[in-house]
Amino acid sequence: MNRIKVIFAVVLAAFAVNASAQFSQQGKSNEFMLKMEPGYAPFMGNVGTAGEHGFNITKYHNAVQFNALAGVNVSQDWFVGGGAGFSYFHNTIQGDITPMMGVSVFADVDFRPIWQGMMGLDYQPATIKWAPMVGARAGVSLILDHPYYGSPMTPMMELYGGINWYYMHGLRNMQHNWHSFYATVGVAYMQQTVFLPIRVGWRW
């Protein structure tokens, strides 16, 4: 009986040491991070009611975009933050259409479900290179010096999905694993118009 107790105590001690070592390697569960995103958003269509001079954005204006974001990476899988973006609305078919510039301010949430589970426990025993990615944004959009409407401001909403590549891949919750490149495609609404934003980004 004493031998069984000794073996049981040794197993418990080994498990405790191993769990402590894994926890010490995890480091912080949250980290401040930045995201940079160039992209292109083809025009999909207008919605709502046109004004005296038509819609705020018409004539099939596509948008060249650049966004800068800051926020907190939460427990590896989540990013919660906010950002600002610049858009250059132009027409590639009708060259005589006047281009316009716009800015946006928005909140951003994305989720990269890389976890695995066993018996209700969250763990990740292997290195991680790729993860799917989904997200949403909400904010406001402003056109600068619109030829007819001045500076119209409207709500901005977006849903997107894509793929995330951890270029310094490592174990779950290791700090360097949170840095990544990603590519997304989505559906966005702003200025009475629906766009199809396609982006690449860098998270660090």
Side-chain angles (χ1 to χ4, degrees), residues 179-191:
H179 299 249
S180 63
F181 293 112
Y182 56 89
T184 62
V185 60
V187 177
Y189 165 80
M190 60 182 173
Q191 300 293 339

Side-chain angles (χ1 to χ4, degrees), residues 113-194:
I114 66 168
W115 53 266
Q116 299 180 16
M118 174 177 287
M119 299 177 63
L121 299 177
D122 187 16
Y123 81 107
Q124 181 55 257
T127 58
I128 304 158
K129 296 182 181 180
W130 300 92
M133 177 178 173
V134 294
R137 292 176 179 174
V140 295
S141 167
L142 174 69
I143 293 180
L144 304 177
D145 194 23
H146 190 286
Y148 299 113
Y149 295 110
S151 300
M153 179 181 292
T154 71
M156 186 210 81
M157 296 173 286
E158 180 178 336
L159 296 174
Y160 60 89
I163 190 72
N164 193 87
W165 175 51
Y166 295 99
Y167 59 90
M168 297 178 64
H169 51 85
L171 293 176
R172 174 179 172 80
N173 281 332
M174 290 179 64
Q175 179 176 348
H176 68 266
N177 186 44
W178 297 4
H179 299 249
S180 63
F181 293 112
Y182 56 89
T184 62
V185 60
V187 177
Y189 165 80
M190 60 182 173
Q191 300 293 339
Q192 301 176 294
T193 307
V194 176

